[in-house]
Amino acid sequence: MSLTVLVTGASAGFGSAIARRFVRDGHRVIAAARRADRLKALAGELGPAVLPFPLDVTDAAAVAALPAALPQAWRAVDVLVNNAGLALGLDPAYRAKLSDWETMLATNAAGLMRVTHALLPGMVERNRGHIVNLSSTAAIYPYPGGHIYGASKAFVTQFSLNLRADLVGTNVRVTDLEPGLVGGSEFSAVRFGDAARAAAVYSGTTPLTPEDIAEATSWVVNLPAHVNINRLEMMPTCQASGPLVVKRKE
Ligand code: 8X3
């Protein structure tokens, strides 16, 4: 059955890989992001199965206007992939910029919250839907410099689990995807604003790819309707959690 899928942050990285994957699987994708030119290029590449939809998830009024702002034939969104998000900086909390913290919270937490608030009632009314939230291993495992990025992803994970509590017994599913090290996206370039520093993050590793994230998204969505994957933590084989740190005196 062909699904209508809305992907936020669809102009690059995980979002465009997820859009490509769903179109390849025979579904229709509302590709939402700020960069209209990139969405147009994606639609040019993938054809009429993609509806480019310029949207800034931090724009409360624009998000509240969803789904009425969508063309009638695209309004019954079956799958929402809350992918838009970013990390800014890796300095310790006591040197971080407050404006970076505010931007991360506005996008990763409040933006995701608003898009969910706009689309969830329709899913419940139709008794059909799936919300896939892009969280992170940073939601669970703290690391130096993670501060508000990790906290915003912890919000995503706990919000996802709490949504399940409200949706139990309905046919609306919620999945929290928690990837670790993923290359091939703008994530580190945005975090550091420095291409060389961004490249160094992946040096000597074989990280996950945006296509791996798209594969996991497609898998959770295409499972039988009675199966809900609550949380899915993913790391490349070159990454693991731990050990806990013990700081010893010199
Ligand atoms: C991205 C993974 O480890 O950079 O969410 O926080 S990490």
Side-chain angles (χ1 to χ4, degrees):
M1 185 203 328
S2 175
L3 301 168
T4 301
V5 184
L6 189 146
V7 183
T8 67
S11 58
F14 300 3
S16 61
I18 291 166
R20 284 194 182 90
R21 176 58 192 252
F22 274 106
V23 169
R24 198 182 90 201
D25 289 351
H27 305 299
R28 303 192 307 168
V29 173
I30 302 161
R34 287 174 303 178
R35 291 176 290 187
D37 53 331
R38 288 200 175 215
L39 297 178
K40 227 171 126 191
L42 189 69
E45 175 196 327
L46 298 175
V50 170
L51 175 70
F53 194 82
L55 180 74
D56 178 350
V57 299
T58 68
D59 180 340
V63 176
L66 275 170
L70 294 168
Q72 186 75 45
W74 293 79
R75 280 189 195 164
V77 173
D78 298 301
V79 180
L80 164 61
V81 183
N82 272 318
N83 163 68
L86 79 170
L88 291 173
L90 197 62
D91 286 334
Y94 47 85
R95 281 210 295 270
K97 282 198 220 151
L98 183 59
S99 59
D100 285 349
W101 284 9
E102 285 167 345
T103 302
M104 287 188 273
L105 273 185
T107 307
N108 303 0
L112 180 142
M113 170 192 84
R114 289 201 174 96
V115 178
T116 302
H117 189 264
L119 295 178
L120 184 60
M123 290 183 177
V124 172
E125 208 176 295
R126 293 184 294 277
N127 196 23
R128 170 187 160 85
H130 197 148
I131 297 176
V132 180
N133 287 333
L134 261 297
S135 180
S136 166
T137 47
I140 307 294
Y141 308 104
Y143 59 82
H147 39 75
I148 290 293
Y149 177 71
S152 71
K153 292 301 184 178
F155 171 94
V156 174
T157 294
Q158 192 62 18
F159 183 42
S160 304
L161 299 177
N162 280 328
L163 283 171
R164 286 278 295 128
D166 285 345
L167 294 167
V168 66
T170 73
N171 291 325
V172 181
R173 300 184 289 181
V174 182
T175 298
D176 193 59
L177 274 190
E178 300 160 20
L181 188 70
V182 190
S185 82
E186 297 172 329
F187 179 80
S188 290
V190 169
R191 174 171 244 175
F192 299 122
D194 171 340
R197 200 168 162 205
V201 172
Y202 309 102
S203 156
T205 75
T206 304
L208 299 176
T209 65
E211 289 70 33
D212 295 326
I213 308 309
E215 174 75 24
T217 308
S218 168
W219 177 66
V220 299
V221 166
N222 286 303
L223 284 167
H226 68 285
V227 180
N228 193 104
I229 302 298
N230 298 336
R231 295 180 51 220
L232 181 53
E233 182 182 302
M234 303 171 68
M235 290 182 190
T237 49
C238 63
Q239 186 180 36
S241 60
L244 293 175
V245 177
V246 177
K247 188 88 180 163
R248 301 187 190 280
K249 292 179 202 147
E250 305 269 314

